[in-house]
Amino acid sequence: MNDPGIRLESFGLSHAGKLRELNEDRLLMAPRSGLWLVADGMGGHDAGEVASSCIVEHLATIGVASSAPDLRARFEDRIGRANARIWSIAQARGGGTIGSTVAALLTFERQFACIWMGDSRVYLVRGGAISQLSHDHTEVQELLDRGVITADEARHWPRRNVITRAVGVEDEIALDIELGQIRLGDIFVLGTDGLTAHASDADILAAVSADEPEAACHALLGKVLERGGTDNVTIIVVKCRKAAAAQDEDRTVVPGGEVDWRHAG
């Protein structure tokens, strides 16, 4: 196929915020594997950090997949192992809740998969517009979906931070997935709720549209801290560009082609 390919350029950062001493967020960027993720740990002092670190440690072993189904299977295997490990740690500590959100972007050739649990988010900026690919697993989102409360009420809902799904809080894991095709110019943004608590969709769109990934991340972090920085904040920006011919053998370059993300067999 006569296709110049796409190069994925990315940058990520994590910050404790202005009110927290401990940063329980973690991030992983593995472009050669086609994986980027953020994780927001919870469960009290030390426990949240253990959970989010466990996710990153397991997913860091994902390697280079041979196909889209292989990449998805590798991800699900490792997130499942992380879930079991976090669950085991919680039981050993007396059965208290320990867990972490996860929001991940997987890419293979010209396809992407967005996989998540919890309220960390994945956004797609395309054609000058921003859309949220993930759908929050929170009590307030469920109330919104059922029409019980309005969007304005949701912003001030007293239990708006209550998460309904997270890695490690149950012995079984329930991931959600959104699939799509990568286009030149696409920008993906991954962020924990420390970002979205202080930066609107419009803020995110403006920052990533105006700057390169590194500058965009720093601009968004600056905005969060200016507005209070009440939680840990983690941001990853991934931009999809046309690849130069000299970069064709770099695994951050994705050639064209239709890909089926479903498991083989």
Side-chain angles (χ1 to χ4, degrees):
M1 181 180 292
N2 183 19
D3 193 309
I6 293 176
R7 182 173 180 80
L8 304 179
E9 299 178 359
S10 60
F11 185 84
L13 55 75
S14 189
H15 193 284
K18 298 182 74 173
L19 302 183
R20 305 283 182 92
E21 291 186 4
L22 181 66
N23 188 354
E24 295 183 317
D25 283 4
R26 293 292 183 271
L27 64 82
L28 174 64
M29 297 192 299
R32 290 183 177 273
S33 299
L35 172 65
W36 295 259
L37 72 80
V38 298
D40 179 1
M42 61 184 188
H45 181 68
D46 180 57
E49 181 182 26
V50 167
S52 56
S53 295
C54 186
I55 290 172
V56 167
E57 288 164 5
H58 279 77
L59 268 299
T61 69
I62 198 167
V64 177
S66 60
S67 65
D70 181 36
L71 179 56
R72 180 174 172 181
R74 287 169 181 245
F75 180 90
E76 292 179 349
D77 170 72
R78 284 154 179 80
I79 200 72
R81 291 172 184 267
N83 187 80
R85 177 59 181 154
I86 296 165
W87 173 258
S88 175
I89 292 170
Q91 301 315 300
R93 295 186 178 188
T97 299
I98 301 175
S100 176
T101 71
V102 66
L105 171 68
L106 282 66
T107 63
F108 189 88
E109 298 187 352
R110 281 189 177 267
Q111 304 296 308
F112 72 82
C114 162
I115 303 178
W116 74 96
M117 285 185 76
D119 62 352
S120 293
R121 295 179 179 177
V122 182
Y123 290 93
L124 170 62
V125 173
R126 174 179 286 172
I130 186 169
S131 59
Q132 184 179 331
L133 297 178
S134 56
H135 193 70
D136 294 352
H137 296 138
T138 59
E139 183 178 285
V140 72
Q141 186 63 58
E142 290 182 355
L143 294 172
L144 272 170
D145 292 344
R146 287 158 43 199
V148 175
I149 61 174
T150 66
D152 185 60
E153 289 173 326
R155 283 189 285 271
H156 308 286
W157 197 254
R159 290 169 57 83
R160 63 186 176 276
N161 295 323
V162 175
I163 296 172
T164 56
R165 282 198 230 172
V167 181
V169 300
E170 302 284 350
D171 58 352
E172 297 290 335
I173 196 167
L175 298 163
D176 275 352
I177 184 167
E178 181 75 19
L179 306 177
Q181 188 170 28
I182 297 170
R183 299 180 187 174
L184 284 171
D186 281 351
I187 307 170
F188 294 93
V189 183
L190 289 72
T192 57
D193 66 341
L195 168 66
T196 53
H198 297 289
S200 67
D201 289 6
D203 292 327
I204 296 170
L205 174 62
V208 303
S209 299
D211 288 317
E212 297 302 305
E214 181 174 359
C217 284
H218 284 293
L220 286 169
L221 175 61
K223 193 173 293 291
V224 166
L225 297 178
E226 287 171 6
R227 295 175 178 176
T230 55
D231 199 356
N232 305 152
V233 55
T234 300
I235 311 162
I236 296 175
V237 175
V238 183
K239 286 199 171 187
C240 308
R241 303 185 185 280
K242 185 175 180 180
Q247 298 166 336
D248 283 348
E249 295 185 358
D250 191 304
R251 284 196 177 270
T252 59
V253 177
V254 288
E258 293 296 326
V259 179
D260 188 346
W261 283 92
R262 293 172 297 180
H263 292 300

